[in-house]
């Protein structure tokens, strides 16, 4: 039995292939043999049991193996489903008595499975030693039980892994992981040896990583950082020389390799390691080299230097407001670059949040306000920042505190009014209207000296007029046109017809005397029989007016309410828009009870048409400046739709802009030289309010409105005489011409004929006035009216009569130059080509102007000698005007107008006699001269008051220049580039000129490439503060989109479009988004209307509705926005009307009344 045991043990050891096993030890083998022999001697009689147990264990081992395989497969499935982390569990191995198991026993393998209970040690080995039983049972060996072999223990796993057949590599959990620090290897000679790590994980990641676009975080950071200077500032800069690169040369290069073998230290560190000092003269090159090597340090040092400079400025001079503002704006630059205070790791993960910038700015401003508690600009900047943090009620309280502290500051009042006007949550028309009244009352008290606590600031009177006009436009846009007209009526009566007995009283005292006149029922400005406040006061002192019998020739155009609905089959929203538009056009005048018909206030069907004195009394102010008084009158005329030379104040320009007519070039394509440019385009005149899509503007006003305008002019004629009266006559005739032009645009021949008769009758009546008989400007307008109506022969007779009557003023007469220029331009527009133009009527007109003699009508020929003399005369006259220095402001105005007309006549003369290049040369030379002397010449007379009575001379000459180029391109072949360059240069100087922008987008729509125009628009929008570049950039892209769609949708078979869409829609939306975020665009109703119209045209109803409510957040007072919404979202008609009623906007047709009208 012992021999059998020894032989079996020997066979098992033989199977180990111990000769090839390097860890085999003879001492271990002998010790193992001795122990096996001892065990066999102790139990010789139990061997059958052991063999039986062995056989049983083989059977049980096989079953255990099957079970373990099943369990392991189930576990793997569970692990795949749950994706849990791998945990080492107790394993089970085969229980057979093969030689492999004895291998594991002899090698003392540590196994973590707890299945050793199945080794059947209870059968014949229960009273043996634990170590012996483990060895003889052919099963697991516990490492703790074997104390002599713990130095080198290992195990060989011969079980195949089926995963190796399915995958290309071993499981990553079975491979030891490590991290390599750096690319070098210790123990190699850096000069002779190197190691290349081809399979670097970082490089693999870089290969797998996609290339980053320009808008990614890292690239944006790199673009925002400043450039690195590569040359020393102390050296003289020579642009032609090469860029020097400074290097630190050491005295002994061999010494450097000892302390810097890898070349990783900068020169200063190397010198320090060598134990050498650094000379003071070497600091600069070393710093320069360091700067070049480490750009981050350079940027940080620059930013830290700037921060220190700003802190030093505000610390040394805390009263310097500009320094504080610069420090605040510097925070944006600071946040674009890396933080100079963060460590390198923090710089990478630093979040550049907007809130962080705002908080820093707010902290700086609070420090500034502590040092300057009375400064308004700092407080305004703080309030502007606080809009991002605070709720509207808290903001309003802060504004009220600020206004309470500075009630005499008109600029602060303007910003406060705009803030309250644009707060949708707290907005209502009555609140804002009373706020306007409170503002004007407070400023009037400051102006009178009634408010002793605060002094009068310069420019207050002008600001008061600007706020008053802004209030009138606010009421017009909210639909309360009756209140707006009454405000103008009341202020004109209050200023121009004031009795002498109340002039010395303060403003509030004068208003108390004015209230009885307003409530007396006497005719007001614009009403028939109006005499004014002063005459009424005198008559009251004498006992009152004598009642006169009224005229019976009034034919009222009363329209029955049933006739307002023309087609009841139309949708309800459509009918509501029709009636609302009709009543807006007819009922814009305040309703007054007609005493001749014994009417009372109860007879008014719409109480909103009555205007109470409480609504306008607080807004009455005093204007002592004559220029501001005239500005008030012209603003009223513009409000009624009469074109004037006056413009709105900049503060309320874009807030009042709500009409899409700024893109319409009136007769510009047919007649480029004489195209009509109305000064106040972009604004709805009173009584014209319709949706963006329909825009059914009637020409002029209805009968009641036209009579009102006539009565206004008759009253104003009584106030003025001489030149001012003639200017009013010019405005009236321009209004009639504008209606004729609208008829020509609408191609309504019947209306044109009737309007022509009325306009000619008015022109003749005006010329019959003694003051106007020799006024050449009126003669010019009358002749132009005849020309527009198609009566060219009659117009020539009028022109010739005016020129003969003008005398021999020649080039020195501004009116004669203007008349001759228009006459010549109209004649040139009749030419089909420039061939034979030297003998045309236009050359005759311009030659006679230069001769300064009596005018002789055109006989059919022009002498060449006269042409040469005229050229010399024009040249000398132009030189005289360019070298002339104006004495007074009035001379400056007349000289500027005369210069424009003279340059226009001279350039047109050269164009007809020499060619286009000669004319362009004159415009270029004149523009160059004016550009050089622009601060001294051609300034605005009313600049001190913010009034622009005419465009500057340079702007007007540029307009003449571009119009002439456009005309020449129309009748002959000429490159587009000169015109484009002239327009771009002009628009850079005058980015708010709508006529130039119209010409620019007109020529750009013919170009297939939009890249130049887009770059130009982008540059102007970045540099200019005005809104016109944004509006015309959007219009240009929309025109391009429309052209593309027309080409692609043309019904002519298969179309191969040469103009792809290329994301025009997204570009237009991006332009809109940038425009509405600009300072002037946020509260511009026209911009929001255009944006809403564009989204609605794309069919994006949900986005359009969201945009509508966003527009209301910024312009809640604009009634046209609500009317557009009714057309775009007809299902929400009731909701929109409820919103208008809640905000107290004027609803002339309530839904209940509409239902009643539809039932009839």
């Amino acid at each position: 039995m012992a021999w059998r045991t020894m032989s079996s043990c020997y066979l098992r050891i033989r199977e180990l292939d111990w000769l090839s096993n390097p860890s085999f030890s003879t001492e271990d083998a002998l010790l193992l043999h001795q122990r096996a022999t001892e065990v066999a001697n102790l139990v010789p009689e139990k061997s059958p049991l052991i063999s039986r147990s062995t056989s049983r264990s083989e059977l049980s081992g096989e079953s255990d193996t099957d079970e373990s395989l099943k369990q392991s497969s189930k576990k793997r499935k569970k692990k795949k489903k749950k994706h849990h982390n791998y945990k080492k569990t107790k394993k089970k191995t085969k229980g057979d008595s093969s030689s492999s198991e004895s291998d594991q026993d002899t090698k003392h393998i540590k196994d973590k499975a707890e299945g050793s209970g199945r080794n059947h040690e209870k059968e014949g080995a229960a009273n043996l030693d634990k170590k012996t039983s483990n060895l003889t049972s052919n099963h697991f060996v516990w490492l703790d039980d074997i104390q002599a072999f713990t130095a080198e223990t290992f195990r060989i796993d011969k079980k195949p892994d089926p995963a190796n057949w399915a995958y290309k590599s071993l499981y990553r959990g079975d491979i030891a992981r490590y991290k390599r620090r750096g690319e070098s290897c210790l123990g190699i000679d850096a000069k002779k040896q190197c190691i290349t790590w081809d399979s670097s994980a970082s490089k693999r990641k870089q290969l797998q990583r996609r290339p980053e676009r320009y808008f990614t975080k890292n690239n944006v950071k790199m673009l925002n950082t400043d450039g690195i200077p590569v040359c020393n500032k102390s050296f003289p800069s020579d642009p032609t020389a090469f860029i020097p690169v400074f290097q630190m040369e050491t005295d002994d290069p061999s010494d450097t390799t000892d302390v810097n073998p890898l070349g990783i230290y900068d020169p200063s560190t190397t010198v320090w390691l060598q134990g050498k000092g650094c000379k003071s003269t070497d600091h600069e090159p070393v710093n320069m080299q360091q700067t070049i090597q480490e750009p981050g340090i350079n940027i940080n040092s620059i930013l830290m230097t700037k921060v220190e400079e700003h802190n030093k400025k505000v610390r040394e001079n805390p009263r310097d407001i500009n320094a504080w503002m610069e420090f605040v704006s510097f925070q944006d630059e600071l946040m674009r670059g890396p933080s100079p205070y963060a460590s390198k790791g923090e710089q990478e993960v630093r979040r550049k949040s907007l809130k962080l910038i705002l908080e820093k700015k707010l902290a700086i401003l609070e420090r500034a306000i502590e040092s300057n508690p009375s400064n308004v600009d700092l407080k305004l900047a703080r309030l502007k920042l606080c809009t991002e943090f605070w709720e509207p009620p808290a903001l309003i309280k802060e504004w009220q505190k600020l206004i309470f502290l500075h009630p005499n500051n008109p600029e602060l009042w303007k910003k406060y009014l705009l803030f309250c006007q644009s707060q949708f949550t707290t907005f209502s028309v009555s609140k804002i209207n009373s706020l306007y009244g409170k503002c004007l009352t407070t400023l009037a008290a400051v102006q009178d000296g009634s408010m002793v606590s605060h002094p009068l600031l310069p420019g207050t009177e002008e600001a008061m007029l600007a706020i008053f006009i802004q209030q009138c436009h606010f009421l017009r846009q909210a639909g309360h046109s009756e209140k707006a007209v009454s405000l103008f009526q009341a202020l004109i009566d209050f200023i121009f017809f004031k009795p002498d007995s109340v002039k010395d009283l303060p403003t509030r005292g004068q208003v108390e005397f004015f209230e009885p006149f307003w409530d007396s029922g006497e005719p007001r400005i614009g009403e028939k029989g109006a005499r004014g406040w002063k005459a009424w006061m005198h008559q009251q002192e004498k006992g009152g007016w004598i009642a006169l019998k009224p005229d019976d020739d009034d034919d009222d155009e009363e329209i029955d309410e049933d006739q307002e609905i023309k087609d009841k089959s139309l949708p309800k929203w459509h009918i509501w828009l029709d009636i609302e538009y009709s009543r807006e056009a007819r009922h814009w005048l305040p309703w007054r009870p007609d005493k001749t018909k014994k009417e009372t206030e109860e007879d008014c069907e719409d109480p909103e048409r009555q205007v109470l004195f409480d609504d306008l009394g607080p807004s009455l102010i005093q204007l002592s400046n004559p220029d501001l008084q005239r500005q008030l009158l012209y603003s009223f005329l513009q409000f009624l739709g009469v074109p004037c030379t006056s413009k709105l104040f900049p503060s309320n320009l874009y807030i009042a802009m709500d009409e899409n007519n700024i893109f319409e070039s009136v007769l510009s394509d047919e007649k480029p030289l004489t195209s009509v440019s109305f000064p106040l385009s972009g604004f709805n005149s009173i009584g014209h309010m319709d949706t963006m899509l329909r825009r059914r503007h009637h020409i002029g006003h209805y009968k009641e409105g036209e009579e009102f305008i006539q009565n206004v002019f008759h009253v104003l004629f009584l106030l003025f005489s001489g030149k001012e009266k003639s200017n009013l006559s010019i405005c009236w005739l321009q209004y009639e011409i504008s209606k004729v032009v609208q008829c020509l645009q609408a191609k309504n021949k019947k209306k044109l004929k009737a309007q022509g008769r009325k306009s000619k009758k008015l022109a003749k009546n005006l010329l019959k006035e003694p003051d106007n008989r020799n006024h050449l400007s009126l003669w010019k307008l009358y002749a132009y009216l005849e020309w527009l109506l198609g009566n060219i022969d009659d117009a020539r007779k009028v022109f010739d009569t005016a020129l003969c009557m003008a005398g021999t003023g020649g080039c020195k007469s501004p009116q004669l130059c203007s008349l001759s220029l228009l006459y010549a331009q109209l004649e040139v527009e009749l030419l089909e080509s420039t061939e034979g133009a030297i003998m045309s009527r236009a050359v005759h007109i311009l030659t006679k102007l230069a001769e300064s003699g009596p005018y002789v009508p055109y006989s059919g020929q022009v002498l060449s000698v006269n042409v040469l003399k005229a050229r010399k005369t024009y040249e000398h006259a132009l030189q005289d005007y360019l070298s002339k220095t104006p004495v007074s402001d009035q001379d400056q105005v007349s000289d500027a107008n005369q210069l424009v007309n003279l340059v226009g006549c001279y350039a047109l003369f050269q164009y007809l006699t020499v060619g286009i290049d000669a004319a362009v040369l004159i415009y270029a030379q004149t523009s160059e001269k004016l550009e050089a002397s622009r601060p001294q010449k051609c300034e605005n007379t009313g600049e001190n008051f913010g009034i622009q009575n005419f465009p500057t001379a340079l702007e007007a000459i540029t307009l003449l220049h571009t119009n002439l180029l456009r005309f020449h391109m129309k009748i002959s072949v000429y490159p587009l580039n000169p015109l484009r360059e002239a327009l771009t240069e002009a628009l850079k100087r005058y980015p708010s000129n709508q006529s130039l922008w119209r010409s620019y987008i007109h020529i750009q729509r013919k170009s297939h490439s939009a890249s130049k125009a887009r770059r130009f628009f982008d540059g102007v929008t970045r540099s200019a503060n005005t809104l016109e570049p944004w509006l015309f950039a959007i219009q240009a892209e929309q025109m391009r989109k429309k052209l593309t769609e027309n080409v692609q949708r043309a019904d002519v078979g298969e179309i191969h479009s040469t103009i792809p869409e290329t994301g025009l829609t997204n570009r237009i939306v991006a332009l809109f988004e940038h425009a509405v975020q600009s300072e002037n665009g946020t509260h511009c109703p026209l911009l929001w209307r255009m944006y809403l119209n564009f989204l609605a045209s794309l069919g994006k109803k949900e986005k359009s509705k969201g945009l509508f409510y966003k527009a209301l957040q910024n312009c809640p007072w604009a009634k046209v926005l609500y009317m557009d919404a009714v057309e775009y979202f007809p299902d929400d008609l009731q909701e929109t009307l409820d919103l208008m009623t809640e905000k107290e906007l004027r609803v002339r047709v309530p839904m209940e009344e509409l239902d009643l009208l539809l039932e009839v």
Side-chain angles (χ1 to χ4, degrees), residues 297-544:
I297 296 176
N298 179 42
I299 297 167
N300 286 351
S301 62
I302 293 172
L303 290 176
M304 288 183 70
T305 306
K306 288 184 178 180
V307 171
E308 291 171 2
E309 288 176 0
H310 283 293
N311 277 307
K312 185 178 179 182
K313 279 183 184 178
V314 298
R315 184 174 61 250
E316 293 178 351
N317 192 4
R319 301 290 181 184
D320 189 357
I321 307 302
N322 292 329
W324 286 107
M325 290 298 190
E326 289 173 3
F327 196 14
V328 171
S329 59
F330 171 69
Q331 300 307 310
D332 297 319
E333 180 185 350
L334 191 64
M335 290 302 293
R336 283 198 296 268
S339 172
Y341 306 109
S343 63
K344 190 173 181 180
E346 291 173 351
Q347 286 179 5
E348 298 298 327
V349 299
R350 182 174 176 233
R351 295 186 62 219
K352 302 172 183 177
S353 68
L354 176 64
K355 189 176 181 181
L356 178 60
I357 303 177
L358 293 175
E359 287 176 350
K360 289 183 71 175
K361 288 182 177 181
L362 195 59
I364 295 170
L365 285 172
E366 286 174 352
R367 277 179 54 203
I369 292 172
E370 288 177 5
S371 304
N372 305 275
S374 61
N375 188 269
V376 179
D377 294 334
L378 292 173
K379 294 178 181 178
L380 281 174
R382 176 176 171 269
L383 275 175
K384 189 175 180 180
L385 284 178
C386 288
T387 53
E388 304 290 337
F389 298 100
W390 295 351
E391 294 295 326
L395 272 174
I396 291 174
K397 287 183 179 179
E398 286 295 318
W399 270 106
Q400 289 172 349
K401 291 178 184 177
L402 193 57
I403 286 293
F404 180 76
L405 293 174
H406 307 278
N408 61 333
N409 192 321
E411 296 301 321
L412 188 62
W413 273 108
K414 288 179 186 178
K415 291 181 172 61
Y416 177 48
L417 288 168
L418 181 58
F419 170 78
C420 294
Q421 190 172 321
S422 57
Q423 290 296 313
F424 179 77
T425 53
T426 58
F427 171 82
S428 70
V429 173
S430 59
K431 281 183 183 178
I432 303 302
N433 192 43
S434 62
L435 193 60
Y436 272 105
K438 181 182 178 182
C439 165
L440 291 173
T441 302
T442 306
L443 291 176
V446 174
Q447 184 188 29
D448 295 337
S450 306
M451 186 176 287
V452 187
S453 58
H454 292 80
L456 179 67
L457 298 179
T460 300
E461 192 172 334
E462 175 204 351
M464 290 166 69
L465 178 59
I467 292 171
F468 175 84
I469 295 174
Q470 184 173 328
Q471 180 185 9
C472 295
H473 278 284
F474 161 72
L475 290 171
R476 170 187 66 80
Q477 290 176 312
H480 296 272
S481 53
E482 301 93 344
K483 292 181 180 178
V485 173
S486 297
L487 269 174
F488 271 117
Q489 285 179 305
L491 190 60
I492 291 174
D493 239 326
F494 187 74
I495 290 175
F496 291 98
F497 298 94
K498 188 178 296 180
D500 297 333
S501 57
V502 300
K503 284 184 177 179
D504 297 333
L505 296 174
T507 305
R508 290 306 99 194
Q510 295 178 13
V511 170
E512 290 175 1
F513 276 96
F514 183 74
E515 184 175 1
F517 160 71
W518 189 262
D519 293 335
S520 64
E522 292 300 319
R524 302 164 187 167
I525 300 296
E527 299 175 3
K528 185 176 287 187
R531 299 177 180 89
W533 179 25
K534 185 176 182 179
W536 179 83
M537 283 281 286
H538 283 304
Q539 195 63 35
Q540 286 296 314
E541 294 172 0
K542 296 179 181 179

Side-chain angles (χ1 to χ4, degrees), residues 1109-1125:
Y1109 289 110
K1110 186 178 177 182
L1112 292 188
Q1113 296 290 333
N1114 295 280
C1115 305
W1117 69 89
K1119 182 182 175 181
V1120 284
L1121 278 172
Y1122 297 85
M1123 295 180 72
D1124 287 342

Side-chain angles (χ1 to χ4, degrees), residues 548-582:
L548 298 175
K549 187 177 180 181
D551 298 330
D552 296 331
D553 57 349
D554 290 343
D555 297 328
D556 293 336
E557 287 189 2
E558 291 296 332
I559 294 180
D560 190 15
E561 299 298 333
D562 297 337
Q563 297 177 359
E564 289 184 333
I565 304 178
K566 297 178 181 179
D567 188 1
K568 293 186 177 181
S569 63
L570 292 173
K572 197 173 185 180
W573 63 269
H574 199 289
I575 297 173
W576 182 86
L577 282 175
D578 287 340
I579 302 177
E580 188 75 15
Y581 172 78
S582 174

Side-chain angles (χ1 to χ4, degrees), residues 478 576 580 606 1119 1137 1140-1141 1145-1151:
W576 182 86
E580 188 75 15
D606 188 357
K1119 182 182 175 181
L1137 292 184
M1140 293 174 68
T1141 308
L1145 272 74
R1146 186 83 160 86
V1147 180
R1148 298 180 182 273
V1149 190
M1151 190 54 65

